[in-house]
Amino acid sequence: MQDVRQCSLNLNYWWTVAHLKNFSRSGIKAAKVGTIELVVVKANSSYSVFEDACPHKRVRLSKFGRRVGNKLVCSYHGWKFAPSGQCTDIPGMDMQKQFCLKSYPVKEYGGWLWVFLGDEKLVDSVPLPKIPPVHSQHYHPIPMQGEVGCHFSYITENATDLFHADLHQSAQPWANPKLLSLKSNLRTVNAIYEVDTPRLLAALISHPGKNRVHVMYEYPYFHLWSEDGAFYLFVVYVPTEPQRTWVYSTFYFRHVWGMPWILKLLHPILDKGTFRQVFAEDIRAVQEEQRAYNLHSQDLSRETNPVSYAVRKVILNQTDGQQPLTLEPFVYEGKPV
Ligand code: FES
Ligand SMILES: [Fe+2]
């Protein structure tokens, strides 16, 4: 059987590439999904996603591109590209019609920019994930993203396995987990845990005592929400290398006592403090798991949570036969002396 720690990704879904508010003044951003390098361009509040390679010499436009009006200009030989990807100008020559930057379909949803990189025939039939708090006035979103040095299966299992409460002893987002139910098929894992909601979190967003937390892994999207509607977490784990994963997440808190200003006030503390701390603890643990794998070139772990096995089955099924992930090529940074 294929090793889940070597699995690639399935491009026939919508993948996240950037947060809509996360662009510098240049309006240009690099992104990567699997082996596909992308350049994301924001011009006049609309977004385009292109292959990150100038068709001329294949230099990355995320490194060499600049935006002039709504055009993307390659700062090597000055070729210009329209938002459609069509080359509109080659300085000194009249050959622009022959060249085009490969562009991909994009959508905006839940504060994120999504791209479809798979089979073009499927683009209209594949839906975006449904994130219920996006359609509600009652939630305060806290987006967060970052890179993790492990295969995406490790961090996905970490998220779906609530038995790791010990890792987060200081923030204590939950305690005393019990698995109540598990259902899965070839794309989706649904689990319900019962947990204690301790301390600050209980006081702020939920009631103290027992709470039910639903976990859904609907490849490639992760959802976690409390049954009482107090919070909702949505995450996309984007594999970028065999042992690197970009994490795009939004934590939605229901407004405390129906007053939006309370969470607006607490936003910096939750964002920069609690969430980052919990995320850093998870990163530390999953990178350690990856290290153990690398030490023995195989997974010697002894899993006890059936949810993790169900997650592995989904990953194996969804990524079966896909092109393998590859390491980023080395770029020598020479300079004159
Ligand atoms: S490499 Fe981009 S214009 Fe020549
Ligand atoms: Fe965690």
Side-chain angles (χ1 to χ4, degrees), residues 158 164 167-168 174 278 282:
N158 163 282
H164 76 276
L167 182 65
H168 305 303
W174 74 91
V278 169
D282 284 324

Side-chain angles (χ1 to χ4, degrees), residues 38 40 50 68 83 85 126 133 147 160 165 212 229 239 257 282 310 312 330:
L38 301 163
V40 186
F50 304 110
V68 178
V126 175
E147 193 174 39
T160 49
R212 283 186 174 191
W257 304 311
D282 284 324
R312 288 177 200 176
F330 175 73

